[in-house]
């Protein structure tokens, strides 16, 4: 039995406990809260049973779009009355979340269509297939069906129509063998990527080998490719598409101007636009754009090209089915500038663009296409969570969530929403069963934060056996006197105060009045039994610990920080409507010794106490160290004034580090509270002290079996310290300001294991990097955070959580212990079978996070998710999410480097991915030639994203990246959610010159490849950590003027870190884009200006993930070929 009491160590709830007053959350406190705050809550329908008919009391409420307006007053008061009837245990909480209820409670049952109505399955969905991909194949029964109208193109994830993308890849070579230059620009030669369709369905087509077409496509203008004579990489042969009839798609799906020009071989008689033939960009999403280039949606965002090309100039050759293709001359084509910027073009191609390539990059799955399709298909309707196993929109899509019994995807995302019923199936497909859980995720303003539920002195209602918390999946029986657990099937008696009659469908009458019976996410107030030592916790404390050694002073850090803290301390997190924060603060400075400060409010001046015996750290004062900011403001301000002066002339360069954490920990212990240490540190701690480190950086270890050492801590001291910190609820946030190696792998360990955040500002200078640091600090201090937390993931019979990835500590196999958990941290969980699952029952997941709020309130946040189960692998492959899969793979790999050579880790990733795709090919795709690469629709981006992970600095470092940066990135990624890993590994590249200054929208992103950049364009690239603006050297002068306020490209100052504030639409729009992007990410990104051909460009190019990189990372095209080869090997 893996299910244990959630907080066994804290004791089980005792029903007889008297006298617990949970911080004013009892019913008498509800009076002062406006009823409208609760009115809208009427409980979602129990829609996780796909056939359930909504039965909420207010189901007949008006059909106004629920998100556009707050619910009507009448509805609110009605609902509130219902909510409050019987008992008031669901009564309002005082949390800050409640303040948003009036605008954030859009859901009215019955006021909008059920999700399964909104996303009615379509008979077929050809348009899901980006037609820019070559030879997309719709397998099986769908292949005959005509495409639906563009406006109906979205089919639900549970659609019965398997879509398959097939790609005519048959690269015989490994991706390492192409002798192309490093800066290979595949697009310059539009010859390859041919996708002839086999004229006779079902007829086997031999796998083709590839010859080198002797002729290349020349470029018009001054840059001409040699017409012939240069050996080409093999041309991809076309997909045979056996079993697929030749019904052509309506030509209208293929707008002119979008045809990838690479169809140099095709079957005689095939028309453009036939299925299976490389066709234009998707009919949806982009189709409307070509006519509106002025709106920033030029025709090429998907990677097609602006030149209107005849699709057929080189289609003359009939497909012979022969294993090799005769080379043939091709007409010259313009194929270079992906943008519609006038003027600079043909004669400006960099020399490397003459490189030829064998596969058309436009013919392989495009991340941008998938992202844009999802936006247009799923961004318009709210995502209602009522249906079990529903795949949510992508993280890149802006959508509204309605909690109807399953948690929002902002809290939980899964790699698969339809789990294989047996472990044999799971082993066969190799798709990891994994969920990324972000328990305290910030919700947008128009979504209701979890309600707080109070079940009174007896605590939350739970299953007697497995201790799962009351949730919508529990089945009430015997007239409501008992409930059967959805997780372990045990029957538990309902306590009298929780009893309610059932309606004729067996549902409790109060189902929609109780969040825990109708919502996927909610909170319980925990009783004292859930508290450490059965004592209500004290409010947490923040301790600021500032390195005052020579480097920290010299860089301007100490002055900047002390000045900022004076105002920042007004923004400490506070509970709900509380006037001031309950968090107490304390201050320490240190170099080789530690200085504690007494800032008691009664003092006229702060007092310093020096502890130089750092071998056995203790806190020299109790009273006056941790104080209320408002009471001690004058003393604190005085201290913050004095610190920079006191140490201004310091010559001390040595620092300690271990004793600093120990001191903070001891202070929290003495105050009997949880809390967070903010440590601002600059150097490797070389001074004689516990936790002293030596410089052990050794880049020669890269690519050896000993490389793992670089990621491991150099001493076990910090492991032990981390354990103590977790036990106390002492979280450590680390702000590093190094000028050289500081051993992030070791220093960051306590941060990592206590759920803290790490920030790194290499070569920090207050003038240049101050903005970034202060923004990060502000966000870090203010963000929603829970302390002294334990997370437990329960599952229904058949699967269980077996592995966890993230920033936390685990002392047993089930409890994720977090000294603190903030709104940015995600934990990735892997599940394995321990029994069979059933298609009828599905699989249920319940994540319970017990934590202490910023005011010291003990709470449980519960997230529930129910998934489908299948006996056919095709159902699994239809309901996957690649972004989540990648999040898991990254975390698996980044943990793997601690114990394996990076090459082994990379090989394992490739191997597992190839198995996933090969299993699909073998079991789910319609029979076809091995020469075809066939990818499941939901995983068609797996190769491109996987390649980004493989090429990342952790797994395949170049010489320019430091050991510290690798350790730093490894640590950051480990707690990232799906949206963060998505953009981090495949950055967002926005064509600035196409932005529509009259719209709030961003221009459509382009693919991360140098070939997509126009010399006449300006681009913004961001990955959540870095932010660049790249300026092409032929950018029009008026655009340069309006953005940079200089007259020419040459005058742009690439050292600037902020755009000039100019009063013109272009400048305003770009600056607002930068602001919005920064606001979307947890870390402030410093802006870097990169001018084309400038030395900084190399750094920028490092983020063009579809290109080959200087560290040996394969281009997307080459990697796809490699994956294909791996898959073929597995199949043969
Ligand atoms: Zn149970």
């Amino acid at each position: 039995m893996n299910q244990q009491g959630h907080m066994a160590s804290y004791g089980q709830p005792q029903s007889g406990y008297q006298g617990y007053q949970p911080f004013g959350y009892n019913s008498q406190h509800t009076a002062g809260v406006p009823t409208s705050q609760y009115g809208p809550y009427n409980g979602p329908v129990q829609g996780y049973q796909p056939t359930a008919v909504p039965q909420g009391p207010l189901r007949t409420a008006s059909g106004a779009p629920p998100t556009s307006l707050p619910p009507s007053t009448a509805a609110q008061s009605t609902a509130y009355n219902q909510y409050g009837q019987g008992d008031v245990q669901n009564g309002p909480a005082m949390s800050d979340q409640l303040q948003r209820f009036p605008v954030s409670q859009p859901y009215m049952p019955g006021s909008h269509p059920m999700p399964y109505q909104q996303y009615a399955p379509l008979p077929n969905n050809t348009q899901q297939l980006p037609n820019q991909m070559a030879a997309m194949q719709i397998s099986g029964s769908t292949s005959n069906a005509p495409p639906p109208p563009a406006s109906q193109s979205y089919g639900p994830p549970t659609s019965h129509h398997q879509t398959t993308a097939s790609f005519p890849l048959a690269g015989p070579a490994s991706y390492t063998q192409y002798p192309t230059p490093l800066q290979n620009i595949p697009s310059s030669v539009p010859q390859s990527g041919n996708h002839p369709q086999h004229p006779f369905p079902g007829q086997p087509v031999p796998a083709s080998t590839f010859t080198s077409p002797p002729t290349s496509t020349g470029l018009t203008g001054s840059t001409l490719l040699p017409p012939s004579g240069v050996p080409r990489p093999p041309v991809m042969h076309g997909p045979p598409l056996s079993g697929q009839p030749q019904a052509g798609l309506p030509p209208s799906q293929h707008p002119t101007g979008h045809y990838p020009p690479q169809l140099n071989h095709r079957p005689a008689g095939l028309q453009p636009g036939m299925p299976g033939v490389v066709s234009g960009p998707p009919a949806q999403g982009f189709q409307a754009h070509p006519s509106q280039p002025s709106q920033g949606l030029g025709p090429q965002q998907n990677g097609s090209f602006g030149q209107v090309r005849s699709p057929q100039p080189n289609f003359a050759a009939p497909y012979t089915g022969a294993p090799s293709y005769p080379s043939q001359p091709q007409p010259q084509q313009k194929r270079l500038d992906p943008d519609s910027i006038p003027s600079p073009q043909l004669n400006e191609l960099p020399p490397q663009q003459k490189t030829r390539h064998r596969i058309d990059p436009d013919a392989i799955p495009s991340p941008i296409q998938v992202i844009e399709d999802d936006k247009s298909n799923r961004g318009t309707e709210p995502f209602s969570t009522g249906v079990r196993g529903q795949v949510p929109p992508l993280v890149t899509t802006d959508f509204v969530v309605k909690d109807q019994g399953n948690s929002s995807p902002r809290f939980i995302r899964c790699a698969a929403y339809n789990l294989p019923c047996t472990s044999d199936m799971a082993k066969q497909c190799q798709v990891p069963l994994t969920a990324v859980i972000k328990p305290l995720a910030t919700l947008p303003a128009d979504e209701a934060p979890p309600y707080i539920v109070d079940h009174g002195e007896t605590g939350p209602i739970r299953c007697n056996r497995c201790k799962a918390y009351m949730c919508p999946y529990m089945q009430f029986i015997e007239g409501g006197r008992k409930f059967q657990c959805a997780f372990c099937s045990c029957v538990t008696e309902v306590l009298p105060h929780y009893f309610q009659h059932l309606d004729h469908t067996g549902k409790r009458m109060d189902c929609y009045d109780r969040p825990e019976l109708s919502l996927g996410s909610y909170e319980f107030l925990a009783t004292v039994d859930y508290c450490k030592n059965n004592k209500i916790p004290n409010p947490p404390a923040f301790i600021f610990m500032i390195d005052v050694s020579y480097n920290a002073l010299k860089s301007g850090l100490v002055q900047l920080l002390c000045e900022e803290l004076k105002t920042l301390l007004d923004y400490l997190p506070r509970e709900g409507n509380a006037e001031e924060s309950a968090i107490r603060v304390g201050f320490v400075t240190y170099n080789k010794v530690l200085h504690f400060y007494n800032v008691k409010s009664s003092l006229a001046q702060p007092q310093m106490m020096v502890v130089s015996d750092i071998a056995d750290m203790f806190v020299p004062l109790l009273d006056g160290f941790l104080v209320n900011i408002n009471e001690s403001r004058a003393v604190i301000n005085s201290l913050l004034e004095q610190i920079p002066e006191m140490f201004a002339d310091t010559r001390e360069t040595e620092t300690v580090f271990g004793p600093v954490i120990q001191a903070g920990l001891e202070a929290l212990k003495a105050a009997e509270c949880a809390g967070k240490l903010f440590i601002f540190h600059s150097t490797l701690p070389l001074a004689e002290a516990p936790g002293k480190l030596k410089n052990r950086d050794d880049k020669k270890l890269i690519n050896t079996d000993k490389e793992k050492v670089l990621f491991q801590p150099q001493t076990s001291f910090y492991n032990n310290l981390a354990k103590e910190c977790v036990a106390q609820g002492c979280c450590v946030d680390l702000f590093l300001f190094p000028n050289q190696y500081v051993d992030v792998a070791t220093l960051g360990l306590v941060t990592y294991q206590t759920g803290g955040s790490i920030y790194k500002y290499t070569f920090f200078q207050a003038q240049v990097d101050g903005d970034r640091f202060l923004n990060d600090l502000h966000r870090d201090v203010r963000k929603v955070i829970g302390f002294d937390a334990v997370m437990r993931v329960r599952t229904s019979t058949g699967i269980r959580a077996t592995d966890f990835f993230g920033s936390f500590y685990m002392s047993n196999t089930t409890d994720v212990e977090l000294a603190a958990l903030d709104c940015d941290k995600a934990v990735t969980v892997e599940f394995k079978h321990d029994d069979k699952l059933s298609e009828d029952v599905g699989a249920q997941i319940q994540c319970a996070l017990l934590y202490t709020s910023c005011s010291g309130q003990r709470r449980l946040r519960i997230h529930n998710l129910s998934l489908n189960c299948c006996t056919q692998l095709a159902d699994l492959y239809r309901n996957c999410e690649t972004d989540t899969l990648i999040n898991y793979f990254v975390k698996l790999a980044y943990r793997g480097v601690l114990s394996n050579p990076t090459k082994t880790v990379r090989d394992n990733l490739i191997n597992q991915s190839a198995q996933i795709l090969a299993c699909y090919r073998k079991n789910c795709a319609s029979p076809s030639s091995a020469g075809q690469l066939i990818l499941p629709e939901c995983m068609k981006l797996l190769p491109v994203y996987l390649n980004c992970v493989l090429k990342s600095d952790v797994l395949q470092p170049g010489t320019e990246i430091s050991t510290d940066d690798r350790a730093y990135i490894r640590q950051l990624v480990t707690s990232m959610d799906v949206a963060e890993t998505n953009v981090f590994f495949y950055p967002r590249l926005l064509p600035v010159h196409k932005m529509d200054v009259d719209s709030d929208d961003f221009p459509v992103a382009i693919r991360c490849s140098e070939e997509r950049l126009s010399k006449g364009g300006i681009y913004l690239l961001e990955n959540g950590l870095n932010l660049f603006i790249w300026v092409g050297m032929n950018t029009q002068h008026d655009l340069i003027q309006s953005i940079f306020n200089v007259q020419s490209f040459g005058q742009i100052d690439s050292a600037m870190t902020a755009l000039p504030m100019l009063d013109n639409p272009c400048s305003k729009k770009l600056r607002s884009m930068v602001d919005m992007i920064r606001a979307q990410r947890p870390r402030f990104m410093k802006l870097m200006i990169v001018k084309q051909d400038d030395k900084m460009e190399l750094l920028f190019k490092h983020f063009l993930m579809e290109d080959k990189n200087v560290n040996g990372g394969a281009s997307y095209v080459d990697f796809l070929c490699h994956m294909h080869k791996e898959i073929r090997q597995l199949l043969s």
Side-chain angles (χ1 to χ4, degrees), residues 682-699:
S682 67
T683 61
L684 193 67
L686 296 168
E688 199 55 54
K692 169 189 174 181
L693 300 179
K694 58 179 188 290
N695 187 337
R696 47 103 187 218
D697 187 17
D698 186 0
K699 279 196 167 188

Side-chain angles (χ1 to χ4, degrees), residues 497-523:
H497 77 268
Y498 197 67
F499 175 79
Q500 178 61 259
H501 292 288
L502 308 184
D503 68 12
H504 65 284
T505 66
K507 206 174 290 178
R508 276 173 65 121
M509 306 288 280
D510 61 353
C511 176
Y512 300 114
D513 301 331
R514 290 186 176 274
E516 78 275 19
L517 297 181
S518 52
L519 295 179
S521 299
Y522 43 88
E523 292 203 335

